[in-house]
Amino acid sequence: MRRRDDFREEVRRLAASCAGLTMRQAARQLTQLFDDALKGSGLSLAQIGLMALIATSEDDRMAALAARAGLDPSTLSRNLRALERDGLIEIATVEKDLRRRAVWLTEEGSRRLQAALPAWQAAQARVAAILPADLLHRIAAASAALAEPEG
């Protein structure tokens, strides 16, 4: 049987070198930095991200938005409810295809997103001073590779 100190040291080493734990911690810290910067806008980084995807998408279907956001449709729906409740987006069933739901920014949503841009850009600049662009590109590429099915 292992000694308790050996076990603790093994777990400590594993945790210190775990890519999953390291990335989760970094993501939490980045999210907190952005959320703090965006506090005055009344929007979170997650909300800004969804609104930006909606604003820039050529395909207004919920399924397409879920795919672009990397979320399953039910998680996306939960995340969009607050934006809809606050009048920042509209979700509607398309008359020609009752199974299809479309989403778009309202005028208020566009105004709030535009008003949040300076704070978002300032947070981006702070992060850019810490994380070089090439590192962010490599992380994005690695993230895309991790999302691909094994085969």
Side-chain angles (χ1 to χ4, degrees):
M1 181 171 224
R2 281 187 197 181
R3 288 189 14 232
R4 184 173 177 86
D5 289 341
D6 291 343
F7 171 72
R8 289 175 73 174
E9 184 55 33
E10 181 180 356
V11 171
R12 185 177 292 119
R13 277 194 314 272
L14 181 60
S17 64
C18 178
L21 293 176
T22 299
M23 294 302 284
R24 284 181 57 86
Q25 180 65 25
R28 282 192 296 271
Q29 290 168 343
L30 273 171
T31 299
Q32 188 62 54
L33 182 149
F34 276 93
D35 284 347
D36 288 347
L38 294 165
K39 201 168 277 180
S41 73
L43 298 170
S44 69
L45 178 61
Q47 290 172 318
I48 292 258
L50 283 175
M51 291 173 70
L53 282 175
I54 293 166
T56 59
S57 181
E58 293 183 22
D59 188 342
D60 65 357
R61 294 173 305 125
M62 291 278 286
L65 181 61
R68 284 186 69 201
L71 299 170
D72 63 78
S74 63
T75 301
L76 176 66
S77 291
R78 276 194 312 276
N79 291 337
L80 291 177
R81 278 190 208 122
L83 294 174
E84 185 178 36
R85 181 191 66 235
D86 293 345
L88 303 176
I89 64 165
E90 272 187 54
I91 301 171
T93 302
V94 177
E95 288 182 27
K96 295 176 186 169
D97 182 354
L98 297 179
R99 296 168 300 173
R100 180 176 172 230
R101 294 185 340 154
V103 60
W104 59 88
L105 291 182
T106 62
E107 287 295 321
E108 177 62 16
S110 292
R111 277 193 295 276
R112 290 273 300 274
L113 181 58
Q114 188 169 1
L117 290 180
W120 189 14
Q121 290 167 327
Q124 267 301 93
R126 183 168 174 213
V127 170
I130 299 166
L131 297 175
D134 67 314
L135 175 59
L136 293 176
H137 292 295
R138 289 191 346 252
I139 291 170
S143 177
L146 289 169
E148 293 175 5
E150 283 189 66

